Amino acid sequence: MPSEGLPTSVESRAVPDSRRAWLFRGLALVAPVLVLLGIEWALRWAGHYRPTAFWLEAGDGMLRANPAFGATYVGETQARMPRPLKIRRQKESGTLRVLVLGESAALGDPEPGLGMPRFLQAQLETRFPGRKVEVLNAAITALNSHALRRIAADSTQLGADVWVLYPGNNEVHGPFGPASNPLGKAPSLAVVRAGLLLRSTAIGQWIFRIQEGQGEGLSLAPRWAGLETFSKNHLAAEDPRLEVVRESYRRNLTDLVRFGVESGAQVLLGTMAVNVSDCPPFGSLPLDGSPQVLTQWKDLSERGRAQDAAGDWLGAVESWTQAVALAPSHAESRYQLGLARLNAGDAVRGTVDLEAARDLDTLRFRADSRIVAITREVAVAAASSQVLLVDAALELKGEDPQRPPGADLFFEHVHLRPEGNDRLARLFAKALVTRLPEGTASSALWATEAACRTRLGWNPHAEVRLWTQIRALCQKPPFSFQSHKEVRDRFLDDRLAEANAGARKAGLGGSIQALESLVTQYPTDWQLAEQSARLLRQGWRWTNAIEAWKRVVEGAPDHVVAWHFLGEAQAQIGDRRGALESQSRALALRPDFVEAALALGQLYGQSGRFQESITVFDQSLRRDPRNLEALINKALTLEAMGRRGESVPLLSRAMTEHPQSTLPCVRLGELLSARKEYAGAVAAFEEAARREPANLGVLQRLAGELGRADRPAQAEAVLRRAVQAESQNASVRIDLGVALARQTRFADAIVEFESALRAQPDNASARTYLERARTMLSASPQSNTNRKR
């Protein structure tokens, strides 16, 4: 024992020193974790976290589809929303519940209310009369198997009787695909899943949001930013990155099937059917070879096209066969060979060539033969009596069963017309019936396509809407790159003309009445109510439209577009308070919804809540600084607030940033005219007329401002331009007559008013002006002088 007062030994001090060292090491390890947990908690507390599950709790035993589900995969501003489903977690006794998983082709783009899942619903209702049928459309546009795997995992709780799996088109250009990756890489599945795990945290979402930046947001305007975004990202058929993509697809699809089997459902796994016969490749590899070879190929291709045009199919087959021999990896040449063989009656070899052309397409927006083969292999590997392959790629037939389906079933490359959706749904429905337990009560009858269309609310006006959307879509890349664009556009114009003729014959009132009768028959079908609401909106029947949109949001509370259109209708009848609530609901669901933000800002301005209006427009401009409507509406609000020094520069900025649009010019001209600054108003309308020289409305407004600026001769000159453009326009003739009368040229004015009446005999304004001009002419000194003579 050491004596008192002596120093402590080295050995006795070593124990506490060692403990402190281990304590410091532990703190060094734990501290970063605690910091990260603190940051995670702070971000969640500040509202920077969104749930990543597909199904969210909705109270009272209900689930709803997560409106922001896609943000984890493509970012908030690029994400498409799922169908606004709201369902019971536990299905009701006796209900046949079917879950559909896939991408836009499964969803039913461009009109999901008339897509494959809806036709499946109509067919099963007929096959199982008296039984409740639920077809849950959980497909989402622009996503792929990486996202579908999460939806499948979340859907095991639903107790669905049948799962319909129909993926495959978006593996290359969808999330984590090499064509959507800014670095052009195809990450391994382990890297993808690690990234998704990070994005399930508030920290990961915050980082991803910063990387994503601001986008244009959700809009109803036809600005297609899907395929067009990736139109420069070409991949050859031999690109090694495709093998990484295919392996990820195989493993994800295997998991989808496993989740379905484990949930107790019958799994119908569909191969992807695409348009190969009427959809030329979007891109081909550049031709290689000597100048002589390239010249020879060019001569052969020109000869082949000439033979095609002349109907010499056998000659075209010979020419294109030689062209393919010179350029075997050239997708367009292989496509033309396949088409020539089809036309020559050789359907077997023609189909082989067309499918090869699809596989050689360097813009890989369609599932290729390897994706289709993997889908078949996964079905076989499942080795389960619960899994059945529905080989749509092989079994879907068009009007001519000897030819691969084309424009007879498809709108464009993968999205089906109603005829195609009906036939695809029928393949799944017939397979489904064979998988249900024995003794399941059913009818032997199947609904006809016409009966299904009627049940779903199909009408000629919906057909016009569909063909109009497709016509606009096909004017943008990558569709504008295709070799058959002139023929295709003529075909689309013919279909649109037929649809318009059908709509005129049916009449809007008749279509509305038929739909309202269906809605009464199926009062809980919100998708049917949506079809009715769209027609009522088209007919400006705002009161009835309000009731219809309310039925939609009652059945689908997360239907962001329905809330917006409900607010629009409420504003039209003067229910400003209701409109504010509805547009606010739309923005709460989707803060980047362009039209809802603009409508809300305008409503605030009309209510005198100018600062709130400015705040909304500023939020839109932070997201998209070039947003034309936001720039214009903010300027008009500033003018209403008396901030004149800010409004005109903002409109001038809008004119500069949108050099093709007349709208900012017109709004600036109107604003300056209201200030009685007529010279500036004239300059604004002159710019509008320069941008659209044939716009009669702009020319008339310009003439009006010239008149107010006391420049009648120039006003007359502008109006004569308008008359030359459209001589039978009564409104233009009246304006010209007024301009002449202001110069006391009453005889000339009478000529114009009489022309207006010939063009429009019941025009009261023309008749009134004519009588006044005749009175003024008879009272004028020149007229009296003529009488004396």
Side-chain angles (χ1 to χ4, degrees):
M1 181 175 181
S3 59
E4 188 176 343
L6 293 176
T8 305
S9 69
V10 173
E11 291 81 2
S12 64
R13 292 199 308 270
V15 173
D17 286 347
S18 176
R19 288 173 180 168
R20 282 195 295 271
W22 280 109
L23 178 61
F24 286 132
R25 290 192 186 103
L27 288 174
L29 292 173
V30 172
V33 176
L34 292 176
V35 169
L36 288 174
L37 289 174
I39 295 172
E40 177 75 13
W41 177 85
L43 287 171
R44 292 190 182 220
W45 179 82
H48 292 291
Y49 173 78
R50 60 174 180 270
T52 55
F54 183 79
W55 296 106
L56 303 179
E57 295 287 345
D60 298 325
M62 304 293 288
L63 297 172
R64 65 187 184 97
N66 182 357
F69 175 78
T72 300
Y73 302 88
V74 295
E76 291 180 354
T77 59
Q78 297 298 324
R80 302 294 184 89
M81 301 178 74
R83 295 297 279 165
L85 302 175
K86 184 178 180 181
I87 62 169
R88 292 196 174 277
R89 183 195 301 272
Q90 299 297 326
K91 69 173 184 177
E92 298 176 12
S93 177
T95 297
L96 174 61
R97 177 174 281 183
V98 180
L99 176 71
V100 178
L101 294 178
E103 305 139 350
S104 59
L107 177 71
D109 267 357
E111 184 79 45
L114 299 166
M116 181 271 286
R118 289 288 285 165
F119 275 92
L120 183 58
Q121 171 99 30
Q123 291 165 5
L124 294 178
E125 286 175 350
T126 302
R127 188 73 180 194
F128 299 97
R131 185 176 183 183
K132 183 177 181 181
V133 176
E134 288 181 345
V135 178
L136 309 178
N137 188 352
I140 306 184
T141 298
L143 299 187
N144 58 17
S145 63
H146 296 297
L148 299 182
R149 181 179 182 274
R150 176 58 191 269
I151 301 175
D154 290 349
S155 298
T156 56
Q157 62 184 308
L158 301 181
D161 300 283
V162 180
W163 283 26
V164 173
L165 307 180
Y166 192 57
N169 285 321
N170 295 344
E171 297 305 305
V172 175
H173 289 269
F176 306 106
S180 65
N181 188 323
L183 300 178
K185 295 182 178 180
S188 68
L189 193 58
V191 171
V192 170
R193 291 183 180 175
L196 290 174
L197 181 63
L198 177 61
R199 294 181 191 184
S200 68
T201 67
I203 294 174
Q205 291 173 13
W206 179 64
I207 294 171
F208 187 38
R209 195 176 293 116
I210 293 173
Q211 291 176 335
E212 176 194 7
Q214 297 287 353
E216 291 184 336
L218 176 70
S219 176
L220 302 176
R223 54 182 196 199
W224 183 259
L227 305 185
E228 186 176 355
T229 304
F230 309 114
S231 294
K232 297 180 180 179
N233 300 344
H234 295 258
L235 278 85
E238 298 80 15
D239 195 304
R241 293 171 292 177
L242 293 177
E243 287 308 312
V244 179
V245 169
R246 289 161 182 158
E247 181 58 25
S248 294
Y249 176 71
R250 182 190 299 276
R251 292 173 61 183
N252 285 333
L253 191 61
T254 300
D255 286 345
L256 261 72
V257 172
R258 175 173 58 83
F259 288 136
V261 170
E262 291 175 354
S263 76
Q266 297 292 319
V267 178
L268 306 181
L269 178 56
T271 57
M272 181 59 63
V274 301
N275 183 356
V276 295
S277 61
D278 290 320
C279 181
F282 294 108
S284 297
L285 289 175
L287 292 166
D288 290 327
S290 65
Q292 293 82 358
V293 169
L294 296 180
T295 299
Q296 188 179 0
W297 176 89
K298 183 179 179 182
D299 292 341
L300 287 167
S301 64
E302 289 177 353
R303 186 172 73 193
R305 292 184 191 280
Q307 290 165 327
D308 283 331
D312 179 8
W313 312 125
L314 293 177
V317 167
E318 182 180 353
S319 297
W320 285 114
T321 299
Q322 295 178 43
V324 168
L326 292 174
S329 297
H330 191 255
E332 183 65 30
S333 299
R334 196 67 182 271
Y335 171 79
Q336 295 296 341
L337 173 58
L339 203 58
R341 280 181 167 156
L342 275 189
N343 292 331
D346 188 352
V348 175
R349 289 199 293 173
T351 300
V352 170
D353 287 322
L354 292 172
E355 291 176 347
R358 179 266 320 270
D359 293 347
L360 292 169
D361 193 343
T362 58
L363 288 174
R364 314 187 74 80
F365 298 125
R366 296 174 287 178
D368 62 19
S369 57
R370 285 295 299 129
I371 290 292
V372 171
I374 289 169
T375 305
R376 292 172 179 146
E377 292 163 9
V378 168
V380 172
S384 170
S385 60
Q386 291 175 240
V387 180
L388 179 65
L389 178 71
V390 178
D391 204 343
L394 184 64
E395 297 174 14
L396 188 66
K397 301 296 183 183
E399 294 176 359
D400 182 352
Q402 301 304 314
R403 295 172 66 102
D408 51 345
L409 295 190
F410 290 92
F411 278 122
E412 11 72 354
H413 63 310
V414 297
H415 300 118
L416 289 161
R417 295 169 56 173
E419 299 91 330
N421 281 318
D422 175 77
R423 296 186 188 194
L424 178 62
R426 207 169 293 274
L427 292 178
F428 283 116
K430 290 181 177 180
L432 181 154
V433 168
T434 68
R435 310 303 287 185
L436 294 179
E438 292 185 13
T440 302
S442 70
S443 164
L445 299 176
W446 287 105
T448 64
E449 180 191 331
C452 290
R453 285 178 182 247
T454 299
R455 163 64 182 89
L456 302 180
W458 175 261
N459 60 84
H461 304 277
E463 187 170 8
V464 171
R465 187 168 67 243
L466 276 170
W467 286 116
T468 300
Q469 289 176 314
I470 294 300
R471 182 68 171 82
L473 168 66
C474 288
Q475 306 315 301
K476 304 287 186 66
F479 301 101
S480 58
F481 300 158
Q482 292 182 291
S483 60
H484 76 326
K485 55 182 178 294
E486 291 86 2
V487 174
R488 179 201 59 215
D489 287 350
R490 286 197 297 271
F491 173 82
L492 293 176
D493 288 340
D494 290 343
R495 300 293 77 73
L496 186 55
E498 289 173 1
N500 277 309
R504 287 192 297 270
K505 183 177 179 181
L508 188 59
S511 296
I512 289 173
Q513 187 175 0
L515 262 173
E516 288 181 337
S517 176
L518 271 174
V519 170
T520 302
Q521 188 177 350
Y522 299 96
T524 60
D525 188 343
W526 63 264
Q527 297 186 76
L528 193 57
E530 182 179 10
Q531 294 296 325
S532 175
R534 287 180 180 276
L535 283 190
L536 291 165
R537 177 178 181 265
Q538 183 178 338
W540 300 348
R541 302 186 184 186
W542 301 114
T543 301
N544 291 342
I546 288 171
E547 296 307 312
W549 287 120
K550 284 183 176 178
R551 284 195 296 269
V552 175
V553 296
E554 181 181 355
D558 290 337
H559 199 315
V560 60
V561 176
W563 281 112
H564 168 61
F565 283 149
L566 173 58
E568 174 194 60
Q570 289 166 325
Q572 289 290 336
I573 68 166
D575 181 8
R576 195 171 292 160
R577 179 177 178 181
L580 283 166
E581 292 176 358
S582 297
Q583 300 295 359
S584 296
R585 285 290 297 269
L587 281 176
L589 288 166
R590 187 71 188 239
D592 63 341
F593 189 179
V594 174
E595 284 83 1
L598 293 171
L600 185 63
Q602 289 168 345
L603 287 165
Y604 280 141
Q606 293 163 9
S607 303
R609 297 160 65 175
F610 297 127
Q611 193 53 55
E612 290 168 281
S613 179
I614 293 294
T615 299
V616 171
F617 295 137
D618 281 342
Q619 289 171 348
S620 295
L621 289 169
R622 278 195 295 273
R623 191 174 301 280
D624 177 12
R626 296 184 69 255
N627 186 316
L628 177 59
E629 293 285 350
L631 286 169
I632 290 173
N633 281 284
K634 180 180 178 182
L636 298 180
T637 304
L638 290 168
E639 182 74 7
M641 296 171 71
R643 294 163 63 177
R644 291 187 163 195
E646 299 173 68
S647 56
V648 171
L650 202 56
L651 285 171
S652 298
R653 170 185 157 190
M655 289 172 62
T656 301
E657 294 185 353
H658 296 271
Q660 304 303 317
S661 175
T662 61
L663 187 59
C665 310
V666 170
R667 294 292 177 261
L668 178 59
E670 291 171 341
L671 184 150
L672 293 173
S673 181
R675 293 185 184 180
K676 298 185 178 181
E677 298 178 14
Y678 300 125
V682 166
F685 280 109
E686 283 178 335
E687 174 61 20
R690 186 192 65 77
R691 295 181 181 190
E692 282 193 47
N695 188 319
L696 295 184
V698 168
L699 292 175
Q700 288 178 272
R701 296 298 303 274
L702 171 57
E705 296 306 321
L706 286 166
R708 294 183 185 91
D710 198 24
R711 295 160 64 181
Q714 291 172 279
E716 177 191 348
V718 168
L719 288 168
R720 291 202 181 278
R721 278 171 50 197
V723 167
Q724 287 179 348
E726 194 168 331
S727 62
Q728 298 303 308
N729 188 300
S731 175
V732 173
R733 290 284 189 179
I734 291 171
D735 285 354
L736 178 55
V738 170
L740 292 166
R742 285 176 177 167
Q743 300 177 65
T744 68
R745 293 164 58 187
F746 302 117
D748 294 336
I750 287 170
V751 171
E752 298 304 325
F753 296 139
E754 287 175 341
S755 297
L757 283 170
R758 282 194 297 272
Q760 198 174 61
D762 59 346
N763 191 306
S765 296
R767 192 165 300 282
T768 300
Y769 280 126
L770 177 60
E771 292 172 357
R772 289 180 182 175
R774 284 172 175 169
T775 301
M776 296 299 291
L777 179 62
S778 63
S780 66
Q782 184 179 0
S783 176
N784 292 332
T785 301
N786 290 337
R787 278 199 208 98
K788 288 177 182 178
R789 289 177 182 171

